[in-house]
Amino acid sequence: MKHKIRHILMILGCLVALSCNSQKKEDDKLIGKWQGGLKDSKTGGLIDHIVLEFTNDGKFLQHVGEGQMKNTVESTYELRDDKIITIEKDTKEKAESKYTIKNDTLIILYEGMENKYIKLKQ
């Protein structure tokens, strides 16, 4: 009897571990660079040129601006369900956004604003 209970607990433990791992899913389509514009959440107007970069090792880089005005914000990211969860490296600020990918277009819904990014060919 003890052996059966131990066996059942081991199986349950494996199932719990597997279900946790499946939540941190990979989305190979997301990996790479995406170009778009950053919109003002109040006016909906275009603020700046932006390139989002997602790497295989969980890094998320936001390249904002162009030329000498270019600034890069480093973060980490993970995927959960249909959301991208980012944590900024310097401030440790956490953000969560819904996303979808259709063909070569990444659509991110953040603070009620829908931003579209086109996949850059590497």
Side-chain angles (χ1 to χ4, degrees), residues 1 20-21 43 52 55 57 66 68 98 100 106-107 116:
M1 185 67 170
C20 289
N21 285 342
T43 66
L52 305 180
T55 66
D57 60 355
E66 297 179 86
Q68 292 193 345
K98 284 190 168 220
T100 54
L106 169 65
I107 302 163
K116 292 183 180 181

Side-chain angles (χ1 to χ4, degrees), residues 3-21:
H3 184 64
K4 272 188 176 179
I5 291 173
R6 187 178 305 151
H7 186 71
I8 290 171
L9 288 175
M10 267 180 39
I11 290 172
L12 285 174
C14 289
L15 288 174
V16 167
L18 286 174
S19 70
C20 289
N21 285 342

Side-chain angles (χ1 to χ4, degrees), residues 86-104:
T86 60
I87 299 174
E88 195 176 316
K89 185 179 174 185
D90 292 336
T91 64
K92 304 295 182 217
E93 187 177 320
K94 187 175 182 177
E96 194 172 294
S97 307
K98 284 190 168 220
Y99 83 101
T100 54
I101 297 174
K102 293 179 185 167
N103 301 318
D104 64 347

Side-chain angles (χ1 to χ4, degrees), residues 72-88:
T72 299
V73 178
E74 291 184 46
S75 302
T76 58
Y77 78 95
E78 68 178 65
L79 304 176
R80 196 168 296 142
D81 300 320
D82 61 345
K83 293 184 180 122
I84 300 171
I85 300 161
T86 60
I87 299 174
E88 195 176 316

Side-chain angles (χ1 to χ4, degrees), residues 60-72:
F60 170 54
L61 305 169
Q62 298 174 73
H63 308 286
V64 183
E66 297 179 86
Q68 292 193 345
M69 299 302 291
K70 186 175 177 180
N71 184 29
T72 299

